[in-house]
Amino acid sequence: MDEIEQQPGATGGAGHDAGRRAWNGDDARLAQFSGVLGEVRDPLTWGLDLEDQSLTGHVDSDDPTCERFVRAYRSFTGEALEVETLRTRVPDDDVEDVVRAACSGARAAPLHADIAAPVEPAPAEEAGGSAADGAAERDGSDFADSFQDYRSAMRALVAEVDEAPLTTGTFVVDGDEADCVRVTARETTAVYVAAADRALVVTGPADLVDRVEVVTRPVDALLSGRRRADGGA
């Protein structure tokens, strides 16, 4: 299993006392997340590779969307798809905000990759430029311009997602249709769907989101697999 992000103050959940002593702090916090986790069944079938999985947020937050288990996939053509498992379902009044934020985040990911902090440039003579060119780089003007472009692009992106229609329908989880809320902006879709006693948010290219098979598995299965990989009982 890929690294699970560790947060301070984690304690094991009820029903995991026997196993908790064999787990490290990351596993104890995941055990407290007890329930089911969403994932893509047989990712390779859909041309996907599991790129990362992590437990993020804070267990003591009042925000039901704060703590979530995220499985991030990437297709062979470079497209990203994520399946997020929220600790609890979101109040009906907040579902729209959650699904629009997820869509905006998915669309903004390439912008986040493009913007970078300025680094110390090579001497002008090594870079093949003039001293004036080096001074312009050192004063951060290029980065400032890029950052302003980034902010403008982000505002436009969020506005576009906010204007996209919110629709309701069904989404298949574990082979069964469940009620869902979704938004699509420029071929990027975010879907909020209730599953078991919690909720999933699936984001990615619209055609891929509608084709993949999403299933849930108990947290214990993930923990048991990790313990076997570590040589545990």
Side-chain angles (χ1 to χ4, degrees):
M1 174 180 171
D2 295 336
E3 179 182 359
I4 297 177
E5 296 179 7
Q6 183 175 359
Q7 300 290 342
T11 57
H16 295 277
D17 289 342
R20 188 190 307 128
R21 291 187 296 273
W23 301 332
N24 61 27
D26 293 340
D27 288 337
R29 181 167 177 250
L30 186 56
Q32 190 178 27
F33 199 75
S34 63
V36 296
L37 302 174
E39 65 180 4
V40 174
R41 181 178 180 183
D42 297 329
L44 290 178
T45 301
W46 316 103
L48 295 170
D49 185 35
L50 180 61
E51 187 174 54
D52 184 41
Q53 51 186 355
S54 58
L55 181 57
T56 65
H58 303 281
V59 67
D60 57 352
S61 173
D62 292 332
D63 181 357
T65 69
C66 178
E67 192 176 31
R68 58 182 70 194
F69 189 88
V70 183
R71 278 192 169 98
Y73 302 86
R74 190 164 297 277
S75 74
F76 299 144
T77 58
E79 295 177 311
L81 183 140
E82 290 189 349
V83 179
E84 301 177 82
T85 305
L86 308 185
R87 174 182 284 280
T88 63
R89 297 184 183 182
V90 175
D92 292 345
D93 291 344
D94 296 331
V95 169
E96 178 175 354
D97 290 340
V98 169
V99 75
R100 290 192 187 278
C103 187
S104 294
R107 291 210 49 219
L111 294 179
H112 295 160
D114 288 342
I115 192 72
V119 296
E120 185 68 22
E125 58 273 15
E126 294 181 13
S130 66
D133 292 337
E137 291 183 4
R138 279 191 294 273
D139 69 14
S141 58
D142 289 345
F143 173 72
D145 290 343
S146 296
F147 185 68
Q148 290 302 321
D149 291 343
Y150 163 81
R151 291 186 63 187
S152 297
M154 279 295 298
R155 284 194 293 266
L157 182 153
V158 171
E160 186 174 36
V161 172
D162 286 346
E163 293 172 359
L166 198 72
T167 61
T168 58
T170 59
F171 187 83
V172 177
V173 178
D174 294 327
D176 297 322
E177 291 188 349
D179 293 337
C180 77
V181 177
R182 71 168 62 205
V183 65
T184 300
R186 294 210 179 185
E187 305 305 319
T188 296
T189 290
V191 177
Y192 171 93
V193 56
D197 59 345
R198 53 187 30 154
L200 305 179
V201 179
V202 184
T203 56
D207 60 339
L208 190 55
V209 169
D210 286 335
R211 286 188 292 116
V212 296
E213 185 177 357
V214 175
V215 296
T216 60
R217 296 182 62 203
V219 168
D220 287 350
L222 185 60
L223 291 170
S224 298
R226 182 170 179 174
R227 290 173 63 194
R228 286 195 298 271
D230 292 341

